[in-house]
Amino acid sequence: MTRTQDPLLAAVAGGVRLIELGQPFFTGMPCSPNHPGFRMTLIRRHGDMRRPDGGSAANEIIVTGGHVGTHIDALSHVSHDGELHGGVDAAEAQQGGVFRTHGAENLPGLLRRAVLLDVAAVHGVPTLEPGYGVTAEDLEAAAKSAGTEPGPGDVALIRTGWARNFGDTAAYLGKETGVPGAATSAAEWLAERKIAATGSDTTAYEQIPAGAGHAVLPVHRILLVQSGIFIMEHLNLEAVAEEGLSEFVFVLAPLRIVGGTGSPVRPLAAVTA
């Protein structure tokens, strides 16, 4: 009896190439001032302890916030008028130093179709202007250029080109100049398409005007609170853009941090080799 091979397994066996969609984690990397930064150091070095057979091991200690570097927001991350997604009372949900509802342990692993909405390319620039608000019209134009648009259950990735500034902390965080990102009309456009998740190549996903400081986050409200759509930040979409990929298989596995509000992630694009 011949067993029929699973089509997904057959596709993988045929050869798959993985493209990084995230930023590396390192001490001193750009970090929103609203969150504790990433720190890593060796806590044990080779030679600190030698085993009888001559072996030695090294290991590190890592300290980081849940929303530092490339990460995904859980539905507990943002509330509005005291409520989380689904009308959950935020004060009741956050008991004992953790979230009892919508914690990061509930973040799904994602193996989905992704659509790259390259707004920077639509404007004919490598990087959008600081503080630029990406509109629904921008996403429509990007989808038209891509020849496809995101639909139910998909992942929509918005490229502003801002990842090019990741090596310059001041420029990347844009405290004085602002940072481009999705405006409310873009969030509503995405919510109408019932996507599963969305992400961008900036620190806050949404438009941050110059000098905004602790800016309001209406896009987080629309996506996380009202629509239950997960948000990813600090992506690096330059490689897929350079290869002209408008849609691809998106792979993501968040850490199951019980009661957390987010998780560091390593997102990947999977394409045929």
Side-chain angles (χ1 to χ4, degrees):
M1 180 178 178
T2 303
R3 186 179 66 178
T4 302
Q5 188 178 37
D6 180 273
L8 181 59
L9 183 59
V12 173
V16 172
R17 181 166 57 94
L18 299 177
I19 303 172
E20 297 281 354
L21 299 177
Q23 298 285 6
F25 288 78
F26 56 90
T27 299
M29 68 184 186
C31 171
S32 167
N34 298 325
H35 302 286
F38 180 90
R39 297 290 184 272
M40 191 214 83
T41 188
L42 293 177
I43 196 69
R44 175 176 287 177
R45 293 164 172 78
H46 290 292
D48 288 349
M49 184 195 75
R50 289 175 58 89
R51 293 184 170 86
D53 65 353
S56 181
N59 56 67
E60 64 280 305
I61 183 170
I62 297 172
V63 178
T64 185
H67 299 267
V68 176
T70 306
H71 69 275
I72 186 170
D73 295 345
L75 297 182
S76 55
H77 180 46
V78 170
S79 66
H80 189 69
D81 290 335
E83 292 186 346
L84 303 173
H85 176 64
V88 173
D89 185 284
E92 291 183 5
Q94 55 187 14
Q95 298 293 328
V98 297
F99 274 90
R100 305 297 182 181
T101 307
H102 292 325
E105 75 274 19
N106 298 303
L107 284 164
L110 295 174
L111 181 63
R112 303 290 181 101
R113 171 180 179 262
V115 175
L116 179 66
L117 299 169
D118 195 340
V119 179
V122 165
H123 286 262
V125 296
T127 306
L128 292 179
E129 288 294 317
Y132 179 80
V134 174
T135 64
E137 290 74 21
D138 286 325
L139 298 188
E140 286 278 6
K144 183 177 180 180
S145 177
T148 186
E149 68 175 40
D154 287 344
V155 175
L157 304 177
I158 299 175
R159 177 179 173 268
T160 70
W162 208 247
R164 292 167 172 259
N165 293 327
F166 194 75
D168 183 336
T169 297
Y172 184 75
L173 297 181
K175 183 177 179 181
E176 303 298 330
T177 61
V179 179
T184 55
S185 68
E188 291 163 353
W189 188 90
L190 293 169
E192 288 170 1
R193 281 149 183 78
K194 301 185 184 304
I195 60 172
T198 182
S200 189
D201 49 5
T202 66
T203 184
Y205 183 87
E206 53 190 295
Q207 176 188 19
I208 304 297
H214 292 281
V216 295
L217 301 174
V219 167
H220 280 63
R221 169 179 53 80
I222 293 169
L223 296 176
L224 287 174
V225 183
Q226 295 179 1
S227 307
I229 295 171
F230 303 105
I231 297 174
M232 293 168 285
E233 292 156 328
H234 295 288
L235 297 178
N236 187 347
L237 304 175
E238 296 306 292
V240 286
E242 289 169 6
E243 292 198 26
L245 297 173
S246 58
E247 61 179 342
F248 45 84
V249 174
F250 180 85
V251 183
L252 184 80
L255 301 177
R256 299 182 67 193
I257 303 173
V258 176
T261 65
S263 168
V265 292
R266 186 184 182 184
L268 299 165
V271 298
T272 54

